[in-house]
Amino acid sequence: LSMKILKNYLYNVAYQLFAIIVPVITTPYITRVLGTKGVGVNAYTNSIIQYFVLAGSIGISLYGNRIIAYERDDRSKMSQTFWSLQIVRIFAILVAYAAFLIFLFLSHGYRLAYISQSIQIIAVAFDISWLFMGLEDFRRTVIRNFIVKLFSTIAIFTFVRDSGDTLLYITILSLSFLIGNISLWTHLNQVVDVPAFRQLTFTKHIKGSFFLFIPQISMQIYLVLNKTMLGNMKGVVSVGFYENSDKIVRILLTVITAITTVMMPRMANTFIHKQYQKLNSYLYETIDFVSCVSVLMTAVLAGVAPTFSIWFMGDSFAATGPLIAVLSLVGPIIAWSTVFGSQFLVTTGREHQFTVAVTAGAFVNLIANLFLIPPFGAMGAVIATVIAETLITVVDVWFAGAYIPLKPVVQEKWKYVFAGILAFFATRFLNTSMPGNFISLGVQALAGTIIYLSVCVVLNTSFTTSAFKRVVHFIQIRRNQ
C-alpha cells in the first residue's frame, strides 16, 4: 500500500485508539453514576432519534464520499457537486425535523430526552466530513474529532454527577456532535469554490443518494431496531445491557474498519480510472489485514468478557459478560461485510447488490428479534444480530465473487480461525482462574495475543509473513541511510 494510504490509516487509527480510550474512561463512570436506567434511557431515546437522523441524511455521506473521490481531479465540477448535495441534505433535514416535532407531540414519555437527542438531527445538516474523506484528507477530520471528544469528556466528568443528570449527559453528547460538524466548515474555502447557483444539479444526486439511502435504512433496522424492540418488550434496563455490550464490541471494530474508511475513496478513484488489477490488489490486502486483526480481537474479548464486564462497568452490569462474549463473534463477520460491501460493491457502483445484502439481513434480524427477544431478552437481540450480520456477509461475498476471484480471499483464512480458537481457550482459562482486576485482565489479553500471533507465525499466515518482510525491509533502508 502507498505511503499516503498508510499515513491516512495511521491518522484514522490514532483517532480510533483515542475513541477507545475515551469510553474506557467514561463508561465505568457513567454506568456507576447514571445506573442501568439512566444508561437505558439514553440508549432507547437515541435509538428513536437515529431514525430521524437517517431520514435527514438520505444516503448522502456514503454517496458523497464516493462521488467526491470520482471528481476530485476537477475542482470546479467537484465544487458544484458538493453544493448540490449540501443543499439537498439541508432540505431533507428540515423535513426530518418537522417529522420529529410531530412525533414529539404524539409521544408521552422521555420528551426532554428526545429534545436533547434531537440536536443530532440538526447536526447532520452541518456534517461535511464526507467531502474530506472523498479527498482522502483524513487529517482534518481526525484533528476535529480529537478536540471535540476531549472537551466532551471533560464536560461529562465536570457536570454529570448523579442519576438526575441523565438529560445533561445526553445534551453534552449531542452538542459535541453539532460543534464538531460545524468546526469543519472553517476549512471549506480551501477545498471548494463558491457555487454557481444556476449550474447546480439536484435530480441526479437525489437519485444517486437515494439508492444508497435504501441500504442505510436497512442497516439502521438491525443496528438500532434491536434497542427499540428491547425497550418496548423488556424495558430500558435490558436496552442498557445490550447498548453497553454492543458499544464495547463496536469500539474494537472501529480499529479494524478504519482501514476500510481510508480505502474507500482510494478504491473509488482507482475504479473510475479503470485500474482493475490494482483494485483487486487493494481488496485482497485489506481483507487479509482485517481477517488477522478481527479474529485476534474476537478471541481475546470473548475470553476476558466475564470478569471484564464487572471490572469495567460494575456489578450491576454483570449480565453483559455473556452478551459481550457472543456478540464479539460479529468482529470478523462485520470486517468482511464492510470490505466486500462498502469498500468493493459501493465504490464500484454496485450499490443495488449491497442493498439486497443489507435488506436481507435487516429482514432476518427483525424476524429473529420477534422470536428471540421475548424468551431471551438482551441475549436474544445479540443472537439476532450475529445471525443478521452473517447473512449480510455471505450475500456480499457471493455478489463480489461474480467480479473477482475469491480463491485469494478465502485461501488459508482457516489459519487465523484456528489460532483464534486456541487463543480464546487460553484466555478464558486464565480468566476463570485469575482475579478480575486491571493487571490480571492485561495479562490475560497479552497471553491471548502472544499465543495467537505465535500460532500465526508457525502456520506461516500471509499477513504475518508480509508484515515481517516489511519490517525487515524498513530496517534495511534505515541502516543504508
Side-chain angles (χ1 to χ4, degrees):
L1 298 180
S2 71
M3 284 304 297
K4 184 174 182 179
I5 293 175
L6 179 60
K7 185 178 179 181
N8 282 333
Y9 175 67
L10 292 176
Y11 269 127
N12 218 13
V13 165
Y15 168 67
Q16 302 300 351
L17 289 174
F18 181 71
I20 288 174
I21 294 172
V22 170
V24 165
I25 297 172
T26 60
T27 299
Y29 177 74
I30 289 300
T31 54
R32 288 166 173 83
V33 170
L34 299 186
T36 55
K37 184 176 180 180
V39 171
V41 167
N42 173 52
Y44 178 69
T45 55
N46 182 261
S47 73
I48 300 296
I49 288 299
Q50 290 308 310
Y51 297 116
F52 298 102
V53 168
L54 176 67
S57 300
I58 61 168
I60 281 180
S61 293
L62 201 54
Y63 173 76
N65 185 335
R66 185 183 69 183
I67 198 166
I68 292 297
Y70 285 169
E71 299 178 355
R72 67 189 186 199
D73 297 327
D74 186 339
R75 176 165 173 149
S76 176
K77 184 178 181 182
M78 182 193 71
S79 298
Q80 293 301 109
T81 295
F82 166 76
W83 288 112
S84 299
L85 287 172
Q86 190 57 32
I87 291 172
V88 169
R89 168 170 273 188
I90 290 173
F91 178 77
I93 288 297
L94 292 174
V95 174
Y97 204 85
F100 163 73
L101 292 176
I102 295 172
F103 163 80
L104 186 66
F105 177 76
L106 298 174
S107 64
H108 300 292
Y110 308 121
R111 284 192 173 185
L112 291 178
Y114 283 130
I115 292 172
S116 295
Q117 296 276 17
S118 73
I119 296 173
Q120 297 181 53
I121 305 174
I122 300 170
V124 173
F126 298 96
D127 181 18
I128 55 171
S129 58
W130 50 272
L131 167 67
F132 295 98
M133 288 182 181
L135 293 170
E136 292 191 75
D137 185 358
F138 288 85
R139 178 175 172 272
R140 297 184 199 273
T141 55
V142 165
I143 292 175
R144 180 277 308 262
N145 290 336
F146 265 116
I147 295 172
V148 171
K149 276 197 172 292
L150 180 61
F151 278 99
S152 65
T153 302
I154 294 172
I156 287 170
F157 282 109
T158 303
F159 301 110
V160 180
R161 295 294 185 179
D162 54 50
S163 58
D165 292 330
T166 299
L167 186 62
L168 181 58
Y169 173 66
I170 293 172
T171 304
I172 290 172
L173 294 179
S174 298
L175 282 176
S176 67
F177 185 34
L178 174 62
I179 294 169
N181 287 347
I182 292 175
S183 67
L184 275 180
W185 284 74
T186 59
H187 306 289
L188 190 61
N189 63 342
Q190 300 173 25
V191 293
V192 298
D193 301 323
V194 176
F197 289 100
R198 292 185 178 181
Q199 298 177 17
L200 294 178
T201 54
F202 303 110
T203 305
K204 75 170 185 176
H205 294 309
I206 292 174
K207 182 180 178 181
S209 61
F210 181 75
F211 281 123
L212 289 177
F213 179 51
I214 296 174
Q216 284 187 313
I217 292 175
S218 300
M219 281 194 291
Q220 198 75 354
I221 289 176
Y222 71 82
L223 288 177
V224 180
L225 189 61
N226 290 339
K227 287 176 267 188
T228 306
M229 294 179 72
L230 260 178
N232 290 331
M233 294 181 184
K234 294 293 183 177
V236 294
V237 173
S238 292
V239 180
F241 291 148
Y242 178 86
E243 165 75 1
N244 275 22
S245 302
D246 185 63
K247 182 189 297 183
I248 289 170
V249 173
R250 292 189 185 274
I251 282 172
L252 295 181
L253 274 172
T254 55
V255 177
I256 303 168
T257 56
I259 186 65
T260 304
T261 305
V262 170
M263 291 301 300
M264 279 183 66
R266 173 55 61 96
M267 289 190 68
N269 192 257
T270 302
F271 174 73
I272 204 67
H273 287 94
K274 299 182 179 180
Q275 299 172 320
Y276 302 124
Q277 188 172 355
K278 184 183 289 187
L279 186 78
N280 290 352
S281 177
Y282 284 150
L283 182 71
Y284 296 148
E285 289 187 50
T286 306
I287 201 67
D288 198 40
F289 169 78
V290 300
S291 296
C292 180
V293 177
S294 63
V295 172
L296 168 60
M297 288 186 171
T298 292
V300 172
L301 181 59
V304 302
T307 57
F308 170 79
S309 59
I310 298 173
W311 169 80
F312 190 57
M313 293 176 281
D315 292 335
S316 60
F317 282 83
T320 61
L323 301 181
I324 294 170
V326 176
L327 194 58
S328 66
L329 293 173
V330 302
I333 297 168
I334 291 180
W336 273 50
S337 68
T338 304
V339 173
F340 283 102
S342 299
Q343 185 175 316
F344 181 76
L345 293 178
V346 172
T347 55
T348 57
R350 300 179 175 98
E351 56 268 18
H352 59 288
Q353 295 178 331
F354 178 62
T355 300
V356 171
V358 175
T359 303
F363 177 75
V364 168
N365 183 69
L366 174 63
I367 300 301
N369 275 333
L370 289 173
F371 283 99
L372 295 174
I373 288 178
F376 302 113
M379 181 58 81
V382 164
I383 296 172
T385 300
V386 174
I387 293 172
E389 294 288 2
T390 301
L391 177 63
I392 291 169
T393 300
V394 170
V395 177
D396 278 338
V397 173
W398 185 71
F399 279 134
Y403 308 103
I404 60 171
L406 288 180
K407 186 177 180 180
V409 174
V410 300
Q411 198 170 31
E412 298 188 345
K413 294 300 184 289
W414 66 268
K415 295 179 180 180
Y416 299 126
V417 176
F418 179 72
I421 292 172
L422 294 181
F424 164 74
F425 281 112
T427 306
R428 178 56 66 89
F429 172 76
L430 292 174
N431 187 257
T432 56
S433 51
M434 296 176 70
N437 55 47
F438 176 76
I439 295 176
S440 295
L441 289 168
V443 170
Q444 295 160 30
L446 180 61
T449 301
I450 292 173
I451 291 171
Y452 178 82
L453 294 178
S454 299
V455 175
C456 285
V457 170
V458 171
L459 294 178
N460 197 29
T461 62
S462 53
F463 179 75
T464 51
T465 301
S466 175
F468 178 75
K469 289 180 180 178
R470 292 189 184 195
V471 170
V472 171
H473 180 65
F474 176 77
I475 294 173
Q476 289 175 343
I477 292 176
R478 297 292 293 180
R479 284 179 177 176
N480 293 334
Q481 290 177 343

